[in-house]
Amino acid sequence: DADVTQTPRNRITKTGKRIMLECSQTKGHDRMYWYRQDPGLGLQLIYYSFDVKDINKGEISDGYSVSRQAQAKFSLSLESAIPNQTALYFCATGGGSSYNEQFFGPGTRLTVL
Amino acid sequence: QQQVKQSPQSLIVQKGGISIINCAYENTAFDYFPWYQQFPGKGPALLIAIRPDVSEKKEGRFTISFNKSAKQFSLHIMDSQPGDSATYFCAASLNDYKLSFGAGTTVTVRA
């Protein structure tokens, strides 16, 4: 079983809809991250959390919100999706003896029409 | 504004050749420089990393060269194989458990 899972893997939605992307991990890590990947831009940090009570904005948090429901679960929400939020979204974890290494999920491809 | 600038955007190399990807940074406080490898349909995975107190680190066919004075580091893939075809990201960290990524380089190895 994968250590970091993301659901759904693909999603098509319409402008103005609320959508939630979910991430779960079995690595026991405290740190969790949400990134978006766009061609030519690399990976941009949206939000990150170092424990259940700690939530921080990243480089591009506008239009997004997150919830850390438990150590193992970190959800990303788009309150009112817009077409330029069409991207590949990755969840990642970090912690323990891995120092700064981050472990990425398989990604969610989101299309906003 | 990206804190780490990566080039080239893409490269094609023949099997057995050398692939070289370059990254440059401005913040001299960065203290950890990893490279991530991403295959199509997968998330990135750590390939190799270096700290600024060494100038080179080698793991198998992959080598990081680090030039602290120039604020540059590069990934060399020796004896490139078709299985190395992937997107490679450089990154840098301030010891704050966050990574700033470069824009990525798509490497295609022709058989």
Coordinates of all heavy atoms in Angstrom, one line a residue, chain A residues 42-111:
Chain A
G42 N 7.3 24.6 -12.0 CA 7.7 23.7 -11.0 C 6.7 23.5 -10.0 O 5.5 23.5 -10.3
L43 N 7.1 23.3 -8.7 CA 6.2 23.0 -7.6 C 6.1 24.2 -6.7 O 7.1 24.7 -6.3 CB 6.7 21.8 -6.8 CG 6.7 20.5 -7.5 CD1 7.8 19.6 -7.1 CD2 5.3 19.8 -7.3
Q44 N 4.9 24.7 -6.5 CA 4.7 25.9 -5.7 C 3.9 25.5 -4.4 O 2.9 24.8 -4.5 CB 3.9 26.9 -6.4 CG 4.6 27.5 -7.7 CD 3.8 28.4 -8.5 OE1 3.0 28.0 -9.3 NE2 3.9 29.7 -8.2
L45 N 4.4 25.9 -3.3 CA 3.8 25.5 -2.0 C 2.5 26.3 -1.7 O 2.5 27.6 -1.8 CB 4.8 25.8 -0.9 CG 4.4 25.4 0.5 CD1 4.2 23.9 0.6 CD2 5.5 25.8 1.5
I46 N 1.4 25.6 -1.4 CA 0.1 26.3 -1.2 C -0.1 26.5 0.3 O -0.3 27.6 0.8 CB -1.0 25.5 -1.8 CG1 -0.8 25.1 -3.2 CG2 -2.3 26.2 -1.6 CD1 -1.8 24.2 -3.8
Y47 N 0.0 25.4 1.1 CA -0.1 25.4 2.5 C 0.8 24.3 3.1 O 1.1 23.3 2.4 CB -1.6 25.1 3.0 CG -2.5 26.3 3.1 CD1 -3.3 26.7 2.1 CD2 -2.5 27.1 4.3 CE1 -4.1 27.8 2.2 CE2 -3.3 28.2 4.4 CZ -4.1 28.5 3.4 OH -5.0 29.6 3.5
Y48 N 1.1 24.5 4.4 CA 1.8 23.4 5.1 C 1.4 23.4 6.5 O 1.0 24.4 7.1 CB 3.4 23.6 4.9 CG 4.0 24.8 5.4 CD1 4.6 24.8 6.7 CD2 3.9 26.0 4.7 CE1 5.2 26.0 7.1 CE2 4.5 27.2 5.2 CZ 5.1 27.2 6.4 OH 5.7 28.3 6.9
S49 N 1.7 22.2 7.1 CA 1.3 22.0 8.5 C 2.3 21.2 9.2 O 2.7 20.1 8.7 CB -0.1 21.3 8.5 OG -0.4 20.8 9.8
F50 N 2.8 21.6 10.4 CA 3.8 20.9 11.1 C 3.3 20.1 12.2 O 4.0 19.2 12.8 CB 4.9 21.9 11.6 CG 5.8 22.4 10.6 CD1 6.7 23.4 10.9 CD2 5.7 22.0 9.3 CE1 7.5 24.0 9.9 CE2 6.6 22.5 8.3 CZ 7.5 23.5 8.6
D51 N 2.0 20.3 12.6 CA 1.3 19.3 13.4 C -0.2 19.7 13.3 O -0.6 20.7 12.6 CB 1.8 19.3 14.8 CG 1.5 20.6 15.6 OD1 0.5 21.2 15.5 OD2 2.5 21.0 16.4
V52 N -1.1 19.0 14.0 CA -2.5 19.2 13.8 C -2.9 20.6 14.1 O -3.9 21.1 13.5 CB -3.3 18.2 14.7 CG1 -4.7 18.4 14.7 CG2 -2.9 16.7 14.3
K53 N -2.3 21.3 15.0 CA -2.7 22.6 15.4 C -2.0 23.7 14.7 O -2.1 24.9 15.1 CB -2.6 22.8 16.9 CG -3.5 21.8 17.7 CD -3.3 22.1 19.2 CE -4.2 21.1 20.0 NZ -4.1 21.3 21.5
D54 N -1.1 23.3 13.8 CA -0.2 24.3 13.1 C -0.5 24.3 11.6 O -0.2 23.3 10.9 CB 1.2 24.0 13.4 CG 2.2 24.9 12.7 OD1 2.3 26.0 13.1 OD2 2.8 24.4 11.7
I55 N -1.1 25.4 11.1 CA -1.4 25.6 9.7 C -0.7 26.9 9.2 O -0.8 27.9 9.9 CB -2.9 25.7 9.4 CG1 -3.6 24.4 10.0 CG2 -3.1 25.8 7.9 CD1 -3.4 23.2 9.2
N56 N 0.0 26.8 8.1 CA 0.7 28.0 7.6 C 0.5 28.1 6.1 O 0.4 27.2 5.3 CB 2.2 27.8 7.8 CG 2.5 27.5 9.2 OD1 2.6 28.5 10.0 ND2 2.7 26.3 9.6
K57 N 0.4 29.4 5.7 CA 0.2 29.7 4.3 C 1.6 29.5 3.6 O 2.6 29.9 4.1 CB -0.3 31.1 4.1 CG -1.7 31.3 4.5 CD -2.1 32.8 4.3 CE -3.6 33.0 4.7 NZ -4.1 34.4 4.4
G58 N 1.5 29.1 2.3 CA 2.7 29.0 1.5 C 2.8 30.2 0.5 O 2.3 31.2 0.8
E59 N 3.4 29.9 -0.6 CA 3.6 31.0 -1.6 C 2.4 31.5 -2.3 O 2.2 32.6 -2.7 CB 4.6 30.5 -2.7 CG 5.9 29.9 -2.1 CD 6.6 29.1 -3.2 OE1 6.3 29.3 -4.4 OE2 7.4 28.2 -2.8
I60 N 1.4 30.5 -2.5 CA 0.3 30.8 -3.4 C -1.0 30.4 -2.7 O -1.8 29.6 -3.3 CB 0.4 30.1 -4.7 CG1 0.6 28.6 -4.6 CG2 1.5 30.8 -5.6 CD1 0.4 27.9 -5.9
S61 N -1.4 30.8 -1.5 CA -2.5 30.3 -0.7 C -3.8 31.0 -1.1 O -4.9 30.5 -0.8 CB -2.2 30.6 0.8 OG -2.0 31.9 1.0
D62 N -3.8 32.1 -1.8 CA -5.1 32.8 -2.2 C -6.0 31.8 -3.0 O -5.5 31.3 -4.0 CB -4.8 34.0 -3.0 CG -4.2 35.2 -2.1 OD1 -4.2 35.0 -0.9 OD2 -3.7 36.2 -2.7
G63 N -7.2 31.7 -2.6 CA -8.2 30.9 -3.3 C -8.3 29.5 -2.7 O -9.1 28.7 -3.2
Y64 N -7.4 29.2 -1.8 CA -7.3 27.8 -1.2 C -7.5 27.9 0.3 O -7.2 28.9 0.9 CB -6.0 27.2 -1.5 CG -5.6 27.0 -3.0 CD1 -4.9 28.0 -3.6 CD2 -6.1 25.9 -3.7 CE1 -4.5 27.9 -4.9 CE2 -5.8 25.8 -5.0 CZ -5.0 26.8 -5.7 OH -4.7 26.7 -7.0
S65 N -8.0 26.8 0.9 CA -8.0 26.6 2.3 C -7.6 25.2 2.6 O -7.7 24.3 1.8 CB -9.3 27.0 3.0 OG -10.3 26.2 2.5
V66 N -7.2 24.9 3.9 CA -6.9 23.6 4.3 C -7.4 23.2 5.6 O -7.9 24.1 6.4 CB -5.3 23.4 4.3 CG1 -4.7 23.4 2.9 CG2 -4.7 24.4 5.3
S67 N -7.5 21.9 5.9 CA -7.9 21.4 7.2 C -7.0 20.2 7.5 O -6.8 19.3 6.7 CB -9.4 21.0 7.1 OG -9.8 20.3 8.3
R68 N -6.5 20.2 8.7 CA -5.7 19.1 9.2 C -6.6 18.4 10.2 O -6.6 18.7 11.4 CB -4.4 19.6 9.9 CG -3.4 18.5 10.3 CD -2.6 18.0 9.2 NE -1.8 16.9 9.5 CZ -0.5 17.0 9.9 NH1 0.1 18.2 10.0 NH2 0.2 15.9 10.2
Q69 N -7.2 17.3 9.7 CA -8.2 16.6 10.6 C -7.6 15.7 11.6 O -8.2 15.4 12.6 CB -9.2 15.8 9.7 CG -10.0 16.6 8.6 CD -9.3 16.6 7.3 OE1 -8.1 16.6 7.2 NE2 -10.1 16.6 6.2
A70 N -6.4 15.3 11.3 CA -5.7 14.3 12.2 C -4.2 14.4 11.7 O -3.9 15.0 10.7 CB -6.3 12.9 12.1
Q71 N -3.4 13.7 12.5 CA -2.0 13.7 12.1 C -1.8 13.1 10.7 O -1.0 13.6 9.9 CB -1.1 12.9 13.0 CG 0.4 13.0 12.7 CD 1.1 11.8 13.3 OE1 0.6 10.7 13.3 NE2 2.4 12.0 13.6
A72 N -2.7 12.2 10.3 CA -2.6 11.5 9.1 C -3.3 12.1 7.9 O -3.2 11.6 6.8 CB -3.0 10.0 9.3
K73 N -4.2 13.1 8.2 CA -5.0 13.6 7.1 C -4.9 15.1 7.0 O -5.0 15.9 7.9 CB -6.5 13.2 7.4 CG -6.7 11.7 7.4 CD -8.2 11.4 7.6 CE -8.5 9.9 7.7 NZ -8.2 9.3 6.4
F74 N -4.8 15.5 5.7 CA -4.7 17.0 5.4 C -5.4 17.2 4.1 O -5.1 16.7 3.1 CB -3.2 17.2 5.2 CG -2.8 18.7 5.2 CD1 -3.4 19.6 6.0 CD2 -1.7 19.1 4.4 CE1 -3.0 21.0 6.0 CE2 -1.3 20.4 4.4 CZ -1.9 21.4 5.2
S75 N -6.5 18.1 4.2 CA -7.3 18.3 3.0 C -7.1 19.7 2.5 O -6.9 20.6 3.2 CB -8.8 18.1 3.4 OG -9.0 16.8 3.9
L76 N -7.2 19.8 1.2 CA -7.1 21.1 0.5 C -8.5 21.4 -0.2 O -9.1 20.5 -0.8 CB -6.1 21.0 -0.6 CG -5.9 22.3 -1.5 CD1 -5.3 23.4 -0.7 CD2 -5.1 21.9 -2.7
S77 N -9.0 22.6 0.1 CA -10.3 23.0 -0.5 C -10.1 24.2 -1.4 O -9.4 25.1 -1.1 CB -11.3 23.3 0.6 OG -11.6 22.2 1.3
L78 N -10.9 24.2 -2.5 CA -11.0 25.3 -3.3 C -12.5 25.8 -3.1 O -13.4 25.1 -3.5 CB -10.8 25.0 -4.8 CG -9.4 24.7 -5.3 CD1 -8.8 23.4 -4.6 CD2 -9.3 24.6 -6.8
E79 N -12.6 26.9 -2.5 CA -14.0 27.4 -2.1 C -14.8 27.7 -3.3 O -16.0 27.4 -3.3 CB -13.9 28.6 -1.2 CG -13.2 28.3 0.1 CD -13.8 27.2 0.9 OE1 -15.1 27.1 0.9 OE2 -13.1 26.4 1.6
S80 N -14.3 28.3 -4.3 CA -15.0 28.7 -5.5 C -14.0 28.5 -6.7 O -13.2 29.5 -7.0 CB -15.5 30.1 -5.4 OG -16.2 30.4 -6.6
A81 N -14.0 27.3 -7.3 CA -12.9 27.0 -8.3 C -13.0 28.0 -9.5 O -14.1 28.4 -9.9 CB -13.1 25.6 -8.7
I82 N -11.8 28.3 -10.0 CA -11.7 29.1 -11.2 C -10.8 28.4 -12.2 O -9.9 27.6 -11.8 CB -11.2 30.5 -10.9 CG1 -9.9 30.5 -10.2 CG2 -12.2 31.3 -10.1 CD1 -9.3 31.9 -9.9
P83 N -10.9 28.7 -13.5 CA -10.1 28.0 -14.5 C -8.6 28.0 -14.3 O -7.9 27.0 -14.6 CB -10.5 28.6 -15.8 CG -11.9 29.0 -15.6 CD -11.9 29.5 -14.1
N84 N -8.1 29.1 -13.7 CA -6.6 29.1 -13.6 C -6.1 28.3 -12.4 O -4.9 28.3 -12.1 CB -6.0 30.5 -13.6 CG -6.2 31.3 -12.3 OD1 -6.8 30.7 -11.3 ND2 -5.8 32.5 -12.2
Q85 N -7.0 27.6 -11.7 CA -6.7 26.6 -10.7 C -6.5 25.2 -11.3 O -6.3 24.3 -10.6 CB -7.7 26.6 -9.5 CG -7.6 27.9 -8.7 CD -8.6 28.0 -7.6 OE1 -9.8 27.7 -7.8 NE2 -8.1 28.4 -6.4
T86 N -6.7 25.1 -12.6 CA -6.5 23.9 -13.3 C -5.0 23.6 -13.2 O -4.1 24.4 -13.6 CB -6.9 24.0 -14.8 OG1 -8.3 24.1 -14.8 CG2 -6.4 22.7 -15.5
A87 N -4.7 22.4 -12.6 CA -3.3 22.1 -12.3 C -3.2 20.7 -11.8 O -4.2 20.0 -11.5 CB -2.6 23.1 -11.3
L88 N -2.0 20.2 -11.5 CA -1.7 19.0 -10.9 C -1.4 19.3 -9.4 O -0.5 20.2 -9.1 CB -0.5 18.3 -11.5 CG -0.2 16.9 -11.2 CD1 -1.4 16.0 -11.4 CD2 1.0 16.4 -12.2
Y89 N -2.1 18.7 -8.5 CA -1.9 19.0 -7.0 C -1.2 17.8 -6.3 O -1.7 16.7 -6.5 CB -3.2 19.3 -6.4 CG -3.8 20.6 -6.8 CD1 -4.5 20.7 -8.0 CD2 -3.6 21.8 -6.1 CE1 -5.0 21.9 -8.5 CE2 -4.1 23.0 -6.5 CZ -4.8 23.1 -7.7 OH -5.3 24.3 -8.1
F90 N -0.2 18.1 -5.5 CA 0.5 17.1 -4.8 C 0.4 17.3 -3.3 O 0.6 18.5 -2.9 CB 2.0 17.0 -5.2 CG 2.2 16.4 -6.6 CD1 2.4 17.2 -7.7 CD2 2.1 15.0 -6.7 CE1 2.6 16.6 -8.9 CE2 2.3 14.4 -8.0 CZ 2.6 15.3 -9.1
C91 N 0.2 16.3 -2.6 CA 0.4 16.3 -1.1 C 1.7 15.6 -0.8 O 2.2 14.8 -1.5 CB -0.7 15.5 -0.5 SG -0.6 15.2 1.3
A92 N 2.4 16.1 0.2 CA 3.7 15.6 0.6 C 3.8 15.5 2.1 O 3.1 16.3 2.8 CB 4.9 16.4 0.1
T93 N 4.6 14.6 2.7 CA 4.8 14.5 4.1 C 6.3 14.6 4.4 O 7.2 14.4 3.5 CB 4.3 13.2 4.7 OG1 5.2 12.1 4.3 CG2 2.9 12.9 4.2
G94 N 6.6 14.9 5.6 CA 8.0 14.9 6.1 C 8.1 14.7 7.6 O 7.1 15.1 8.3
G95 N 9.2 14.2 8.1 CA 9.3 14.0 9.5 C 10.2 12.9 9.9 O 10.9 12.3 9.1
G96 N 10.3 12.6 11.2 CA 11.2 11.6 11.7 C 12.6 11.9 11.4 O 13.1 13.0 11.4
S97 N 13.3 10.8 11.0 CA 14.7 10.9 10.7 C 15.0 11.4 9.3 O 16.2 11.5 8.9 CB 15.4 9.6 10.9 OG 14.8 8.6 10.1
S98 N 14.0 11.7 8.6 CA 14.2 12.1 7.1 C 14.6 13.5 6.9 O 14.8 13.9 5.8 CB 12.9 11.8 6.4 OG 11.9 12.7 6.8
Y99 N 14.8 14.2 8.0 CA 15.2 15.6 8.0 C 14.3 16.4 7.0 O 13.2 16.5 7.2 CB 16.7 15.8 7.7 CG 17.2 17.2 7.7 CD1 16.9 18.1 8.8 CD2 17.8 17.8 6.6 CE1 17.2 19.4 8.8 CE2 18.2 19.1 6.6 CZ 17.9 19.9 7.7 OH 18.2 21.3 7.6
N100 N 14.9 16.9 6.0 CA 14.1 17.8 5.1 C 13.5 17.0 3.9 O 12.9 17.6 3.1 CB 15.0 18.9 4.5 CG 14.5 20.2 4.9 OD1 13.4 20.4 5.1 ND2 15.5 21.2 5.0
E101 N 13.7 15.7 3.8 CA 13.1 14.9 2.7 C 11.6 15.0 2.8 O 11.0 14.9 3.8 CB 13.6 13.5 2.7 CG 13.1 12.7 1.5 CD 13.6 11.3 1.5 OE1 14.4 10.9 2.4 OE2 13.2 10.5 0.5
Q102 N 11.0 15.2 1.6 CA 9.6 15.1 1.5 C 9.1 14.0 0.7 O 9.8 13.7 -0.3 CB 9.0 16.5 1.0 CG 9.3 17.6 2.0 CD 8.7 18.9 1.5 OE1 7.8 19.0 0.6 NE2 9.1 20.0 2.1
F103 N 8.1 13.3 1.1 CA 7.5 12.1 0.4 C 6.2 12.5 -0.3 O 5.3 12.9 0.4 CB 7.3 11.0 1.4 CG 8.6 10.6 2.0 CD1 9.1 11.3 3.1 CD2 9.3 9.5 1.6 CE1 10.3 10.9 3.8 CE2 10.5 9.1 2.2 CZ 11.0 9.8 3.3
F104 N 6.1 12.4 -1.6 CA 5.0 12.9 -2.3 C 4.0 11.8 -2.6 O 4.3 10.6 -2.9 CB 5.5 13.5 -3.6 CG 6.1 14.9 -3.5 CD1 7.4 15.0 -3.0 CD2 5.4 16.0 -3.7 CE1 8.0 16.2 -2.9 CE2 6.0 17.3 -3.6 CZ 7.3 17.4 -3.1
G105 N 2.7 12.2 -2.6 CA 1.7 11.3 -3.1 C 1.7 11.3 -4.6 O 2.5 12.0 -5.3
P106 N 0.7 10.6 -5.2 CA 0.7 10.4 -6.7 C 0.1 11.5 -7.4 O 0.2 11.6 -8.7 CB -0.2 9.1 -6.8 CG -1.1 9.2 -5.7 CD -0.3 9.7 -4.5
G107 N -0.5 12.5 -6.7 CA -1.1 13.7 -7.4 C -2.5 13.6 -7.7 O -3.1 12.5 -7.9
T108 N -3.2 14.7 -7.8 CA -4.6 14.8 -8.3 C -4.6 15.8 -9.5 O -4.1 17.0 -9.3 CB -5.5 15.4 -7.2 OG1 -5.6 14.5 -6.1 CG2 -6.9 15.7 -7.8
R109 N -5.1 15.4 -10.6 CA -5.2 16.2 -11.7 C -6.5 16.9 -11.7 O -7.6 16.2 -11.8 CB -5.0 15.5 -13.0 CG -5.0 16.4 -14.3 CD -4.5 15.7 -15.5 NE -3.1 15.3 -15.4 CZ -2.1 16.1 -15.6 NH1 -2.3 17.4 -15.9 NH2 -0.8 15.7 -15.5
L110 N -6.5 18.2 -11.5 CA -7.8 19.0 -11.4 C -8.0 19.9 -12.6 O -7.1 20.6 -13.0 CB -7.8 19.9 -10.2 CG -9.0 20.8 -10.0 CD1 -10.3 19.9 -9.7 CD2 -8.8 21.7 -8.8
T111 N -9.2 19.7 -13.2 CA -9.5 20.6 -14.4 C -10.8 21.4 -14.0 O -11.8 20.8 -13.6 CB -9.8 19.8 -15.6 OG1 -8.7 19.0 -16.0 CG2 -10.2 20.7 -16.8

